[in-house]
Amino acid sequence: KKFHRLWMRAVVVGVALLAACGACWQRTKCGPGDQVTQWGAALDPEKVLQEYPRPQLVRGDDTTWKNLNGIWQFQEATEGEAPPIGENLTDTILVPFPVESCLSGVGKNLKYLWYRTIFDLPASFTLPRTLLHFGAVDWQTTVYVNGKQIGQHTGGFDSFYFEISSVLKKTGNEVIVYVYDPSDEGYQPNGKQRISAITSPGGDTYTPSSGIWQTVWLENVPKTFISDIKILADTAAVNLIATLDPPFPASTVFVDVSASGKVVAQMNGTSGAQLRTHIPSPKLWSPDSPFLYDLTIKTDSGDTITSYFGMRSFTLANVQHPGSDDTGAQVGIDRAGQDMDGQPVTLAQDDYNLCWALCNKTDGCESWAYAIPGCDSYSKPTCWLKSGVPGTSENKCRVSGVAAQAARSVKRPFLNGGYTFMAGWLDQSWWPDGQYTAPSDEALRFDLEAVQMFGLNTVRLHQKVNSERWYYYADKMGIIVIQDMIQKYGGATQDTIAPFMDDLKAMITGLYNHPSIVQWVTFNEGDCVGVFDANSVVEMVQQWDPSRLVDTNSGGPANDLHVGDVNDVHNYPYPGDPKPSATQYAMQGEFGGIGAFVSGKEWVPSMCSTYLHVDTPQDEAEVYAQMMQTLMEEHADVSCSIYTQITDVELECDGFLNYDRTNKFNDAQMQLIIDANNAVINA
C-alpha cells in the first residue's frame, strides 16, 4: 500500500510535469552551422506529427485512437538497470524525434535510454481491446505499462504494437520504454548512421537516429479485429487477404471496392483466405495518372476498416530496336568517349579507312574516331574504337563513323505493358533538425513534391524505410519508388545475417501494399554483401514478393553475378553505360554528385565536399543537363537513372536542395533541369 501511494504520487507529479513541459521545451543547436528547416522552426511541441499514422489500414475515427507524441520524461539508462517504475526521470524529450536530433531537445548520442509518459484512457475507448503502437524505434525496445513488462521488439525500421488492455486504468497509466541502440558499433543493419559523425562529420555517413523516431499511438479495437491486410492488384483484378487477431475462429469478410465514391466491385469470403475480384474498366496507376481505388472491409465479427490500392503491373519485356546502316566516314565530326579497352591505337599509315575497317572486324565495336596526324596534338594516325555510340561534335581534326547496327532486342522494365524511363534521385531522407524524422507531415510530403517540381518521376529511397505516410503520398502523387534494404554499412559479420534477414522480411511485409514501390534493392555497393550468399537472398525476396523486380546489388560486386532483374552500376561523377542482358534491364543506380556550395547553408561552414565541385548553382544546373543529355544520346540501353542526390546531407553537399530544403536554383536554372529531365523521360 505504501508503494502504491508513492507510485500514485509520482504519477500525479509526473502528469503535472509533462503538462507544464510544452513551454519549457527548447531545441538544441542543429549541427555546427545550426541548420533548421522552416518546419522545424515553426514546430509546436504540443502538436507534433498529429496525423493518422497508418493510411493503409484506417479504423474508426478520431474517437478510436490517441496520439502520444509530445513531451515525455527521459534519462540515460545503464545496461541491466531495473526499470524506473513510478519514478520521475531527470530530463525531457520531444517524441518522436531521435535523441541525437536538435528537435528532441536532447541533441546527443546515448546507447541506453529510458522514456516515460503518463496518459488517461480516452472516454471514447469503449471497445474491449487497446493496442499501444510504435511506428519505429531504433533498435531494441522493451515496454512497460503500469509496472508490468508487456513486450519486446528488435529492429529499427518496422512498426510494432502490444496489447495493453489487461493492465490499463481509466487514469494515470504509466508507459516506460527502454531502448538499446549501439548504432554503427553494433552488428545490426544501421544504414548510414555513424556515431563519430557527431564530432567528426564528413563523407557519406551521418549523425545517428537512436530511440523512438516514429509516432507512438493508442488504438481501441473490437474483440476480434483486422490486424493486417495484404493487397495485390494487377491490371485486371485485385487480390486481398484479411488477417484477424485472434485468427480463429475465422470470420466472413465483406469488401467493397470504390472508384471516386462509387462502388464498382464487391467480394466476400473467409478471413485468412485470398479473395479476388475483377475490376470493370480498370483505371491503372502510373506517374501520369496515379489513380487509387478505395476499399471498405467489414467482418461479421464486428470490425470495419478502410484502405486503398492502385492497379498496375511492373515486369520485364523486350523492346525491338531497328537496325541501322553504316554511316560511312564523317569528316570533321568527332565522337568522344565510350572507348573500348586498349584504345587508342596507332595505325601504320595516314588513312582513316583503316580505322573504319578495324571497327567493322572487331567484336563489340559500334563506332570509331580517327585523328588526322599533325592537325592537333596527335602527330601520328590515331584510331579509337568505341563500345557505344557517343554524341557528336564538330572537329576539323577528326573523322568518325558508326558501324552498321543489326536489329536487336533490348530488355526494358514495363509499367502497365509499356516502357517508362525512370528518372530519379537518391534520397537519404535525412533532416538537419529531425535526423530520421521529418519535422512535420508537410515536410515529409515536400520531399516527394520536389521530385515532380524538378521534372523527375522516381525516387530511390536509400538505406532507410520511411514512415507509412511517406509511401501514402508517393502512392497518391504517382512517384515511382525503388526501395533499398538497410545495410550494415561496414563491419558486417556473420552476426549481421539474422537481423538483416529479419529486417528485410519486415520491410517487404510492411510495405507490400504500396503501388508506388516497383523494385527492391537487397544490397548496396560493398557495404555488407560480402558476408551473404547473394543468390539465396534474392531467391528469398522473390518468394516473399514475386510481384516486384529485384536489384541484387546496386553498384556492388554481386551485381556481376547477373542474378535478379537489374544490371545496376554506379559511376561518379559522369554516367556510365551499363548494358541489359536477356534477363536484366540496365540501370544507372548512382551518378552525379555535382555540388555548388551555398554559404550559410553548410552543416559546418566551409567544410562541404562532393564528387564534382562547381562554383555556382548555374554551373551545377548546366553540368547536370549535359549529363542527362549524355544519357539520352549515348546510353540508349539504360532504362533508369538515379542522380545523387535530392538534398545536401551534412558535409555531403551535392543536392539539388540545401540541407534545410531551400532551393539552390533560380527559376531559369530550374527550367534547365526540368527540360533536361523531361527530354530523357519523353525520349
Side-chain angles (χ1 to χ4, degrees):
K1 289 182 179 179
K2 181 179 179 181
F3 173 76
H4 181 72
R5 287 196 300 271
L6 291 172
W7 185 11
M8 289 306 298
R9 186 180 304 163
V11 167
V12 172
V13 173
V15 170
L17 287 171
L18 291 171
C21 268
C24 69
W25 170 83
Q26 187 174 0
R27 71 171 178 87
T28 59
K29 190 176 182 181
C30 301
D34 199 26
Q35 295 298 313
V36 61
T37 65
Q38 60 175 310
W39 305 282
L43 183 68
D44 181 351
E46 302 290 341
K47 299 178 181 179
V48 179
L49 294 169
Q50 294 296 296
E51 293 78 13
Y52 190 82
R54 193 184 57 196
Q56 267 279 338
L57 197 163
V58 179
R59 177 179 286 107
D61 54 25
D62 288 346
T63 66
T64 60
W65 76 286
K66 178 181 176 67
N67 193 310
L68 295 183
N69 291 343
I71 301 290
W72 289 34
Q73 294 181 12
F74 174 82
Q75 71 185 28
E76 184 176 7
T78 58
E79 186 177 9
E81 180 182 16
I85 294 169
E87 301 175 15
N88 286 311
L89 306 187
T90 57
D91 299 300
T92 59
I93 188 170
L94 186 58
V95 169
F97 294 106
V99 65
E100 295 89 352
S101 71
C102 65
L103 293 183
S104 73
V106 179
K108 58 183 177 181
N109 174 257
L110 300 170
K111 290 185 180 180
Y112 303 96
L113 316 172
W114 286 119
Y115 294 80
R116 180 176 185 258
T117 194
I118 297 162
F119 70 88
D120 294 338
L121 198 64
S124 60
F125 276 26
T126 58
L127 298 173
R129 302 176 70 181
T130 298
L131 312 178
L132 175 58
H133 291 267
F134 294 84
V137 183
D138 198 3
W139 173 58
Q140 289 183 337
T141 308
T142 305
V143 180
Y144 305 84
V145 176
N146 292 334
K148 295 182 180 180
Q149 181 178 318
I150 60 163
Q152 295 179 305
H153 178 78
T154 296
F157 300 89
D158 59 316
S159 62
F160 58 96
Y161 69 85
F162 303 113
E163 183 175 0
I164 59 174
S165 312
S166 63
V167 298
L168 286 179
K169 305 176 296 183
K170 288 186 177 180
T171 61
N173 293 284
E174 178 192 54
V175 177
I176 291 178
V177 179
Y178 170 78
V179 180
Y180 166 61
D181 181 20
S183 193
D184 60 311
E185 295 179 358
Y187 54 80
Q188 81 288 355
N190 62 284
K192 293 293 195 78
Q193 301 180 75
R194 174 171 62 89
I195 294 174
S196 61
I198 299 172
T199 55
S200 300
D204 59 356
T205 50
Y206 324 113
T207 300
S209 290
S210 301
I212 298 171
W213 68 275
Q214 287 186 31
T215 292
V216 185
W217 56 295
L218 299 171
E219 184 181 25
N220 196 217
V221 299
K223 181 179 179 180
T224 300
F225 67 96
I226 300 171
S227 60
D228 185 46
I229 52 173
K230 184 176 182 179
I231 305 169
L232 177 60
D234 52 32
T235 58
V238 59
N239 304 277
L240 184 144
I241 299 173
T243 301
L244 302 188
D245 184 349
F248 300 105
S251 295
T252 301
V253 177
F254 305 90
V255 182
D256 287 347
V257 180
S258 299
S260 303
K262 180 181 179 181
V263 175
V264 296
Q266 294 178 310
M267 53 184 164
N268 62 76
T270 304
S271 61
Q274 179 169 290
L275 312 181
R276 179 178 174 86
T277 186
H278 284 265
I279 306 299
S281 304
K283 300 178 181 180
L284 303 186
W285 184 96
S286 72
D288 293 330
S289 179
F291 189 85
L292 297 175
Y293 287 86
D294 295 316
L295 287 169
T296 301
I297 305 170
K298 298 181 180 181
T299 68
D300 62 1
S301 55
D303 197 14
T304 300
I305 65 164
T306 59
S307 186
Y308 69 88
F309 67 92
M311 300 186 72
R312 60 137 182 87
S313 63
F314 194 72
T315 58
L316 289 179
N318 293 319
V319 175
Q320 292 301 121
H321 283 217
S324 59
D325 296 332
D326 194 311
T327 63
Q330 297 174 314
V331 179
I333 298 297
D334 190 17
R335 287 179 165 83
Q338 302 190 54
D339 298 338
M340 299 180 69
D341 292 340
Q343 301 302 305
V345 296
T346 301
L347 302 180
Q349 61 190 63
D350 178 12
D351 185 353
Y352 62 74
N353 290 290
L354 296 177
C355 188
W356 183 1
L358 184 60
C359 180
N360 285 330
K361 69 179 183 181
T362 301
D363 289 341
C365 182
E366 295 187 15
S367 61
W368 56 274
Y370 174 78
I372 300 171
C375 183
D376 54 13
S377 60
Y378 291 94
S379 59
K380 298 180 179 180
T382 305
C383 174
W384 292 265
L385 304 185
K386 299 174 181 295
S387 59
V389 183
T392 61
S393 61
E394 293 184 1
N395 187 332
K396 66 179 183 179
C397 298
R398 296 290 181 270
V399 182
S400 68
V402 178
Q405 303 293 317
R408 60 196 178 92
S409 178
V410 176
K411 191 69 71 177
R412 301 283 192 188
F414 268 40
L415 177 65
N416 301 331
Y419 171 49
T420 297
F421 186 89
M422 295 178 288
W425 56 28
L426 200 70
D427 187 356
Q428 315 277 0
S429 203
W430 231 278
W431 297 83
D433 41 17
Q435 302 301 331
Y436 264 6
T437 309
S440 73
D441 194 64
E442 182 185 0
L444 188 76
R445 187 176 67 247
F446 172 82
D447 276 6
L448 288 165
E449 291 172 341
V451 176
Q452 296 176 330
M453 182 173 72
F454 279 95
L456 298 166
N457 61 13
T458 301
V459 169
R460 179 183 167 202
L461 188 59
H462 193 38
Q463 299 209 38
K464 187 189 174 196
V465 175
N466 270 336
S467 68
E468 273 288 314
R469 293 191 66 84
W470 187 88
Y471 299 95
Y472 166 65
Y473 287 127
D475 294 341
K476 287 187 67 175
M477 296 165 61
I479 307 294
I480 296 171
V481 175
I482 295 172
Q483 176 66 54
D484 278 17
M485 169 57 192
I486 307 95
Q487 306 293 286
K488 171 57 188 166
Y489 195 82
T493 68
Q494 293 297 308
D495 291 335
T496 303
I497 296 175
F500 181 98
M501 295 305 295
D502 288 344
D503 285 356
L504 178 60
K505 186 173 185 179
M507 178 185 76
I508 293 172
T509 301
L511 301 179
Y512 186 90
N513 295 341
H514 291 284
S516 56
I517 301 174
V518 300
Q519 181 172 301
W520 306 113
V521 182
T522 53
F523 297 103
N524 180 72
E525 295 182 346
D527 298 347
C528 66
V529 66
V531 301
F532 289 85
D533 178 351
N535 277 309
S536 297
V537 175
V538 170
E539 289 175 1
M540 189 66 70
V541 172
Q542 290 170 332
Q543 291 176 24
W544 291 334
D545 183 5
S547 71
R548 292 179 170 92
L549 302 185
V550 182
D551 183 345
T552 302
N553 189 192
S554 183
N559 187 61
D560 295 338
L561 298 175
H562 299 293
V563 297
D565 303 301
V566 192
N567 178 28
D568 181 348
V569 304
H570 295 180
N571 298 94
Y572 284 102
Y574 297 98
D577 191 22
K579 295 298 182 182
S581 68
T583 59
Q584 295 182 310
Y585 82 86
M587 173 176 170
Q588 182 65 64
E590 293 181 24
F591 76 102
I594 312 165
F597 307 157
V598 179
S599 178
K601 297 295 184 180
E602 298 169 301
W603 186 245
V604 181
S606 303
M607 291 292 290
C608 273
S609 63
T610 188
Y611 293 96
L612 179 61
H613 177 239
V614 294
D615 293 331
T616 67
Q618 179 67 29
D619 295 334
E620 185 171 342
E622 289 177 356
V623 174
Y624 174 81
Q626 291 167 4
M627 288 183 177
M628 295 306 284
Q629 184 174 5
T630 298
L631 272 170
M632 180 174 62
E633 294 181 351
E634 302 179 19
H635 304 165
D637 291 348
V638 174
S639 298
C640 175
S641 66
I642 301 297
Y643 175 78
T644 302
Q645 59 188 327
I646 170 178
T647 72
D648 294 351
V649 187
E650 297 195 357
L651 296 188
E652 189 178 359
C653 302
D654 47 15
F656 279 6
L657 304 174
N658 296 304
Y659 198 12
D660 67 357
R661 269 51 175 186
T662 52
N663 199 336
K664 290 184 179 181
F665 304 107
N666 62 32
D667 289 346
Q669 294 158 358
M670 284 279 293
Q671 195 60 53
L672 179 61
I673 293 169
I674 292 167
D675 290 345
N677 290 331
N678 287 338
V680 173
I681 293 170
N682 294 332

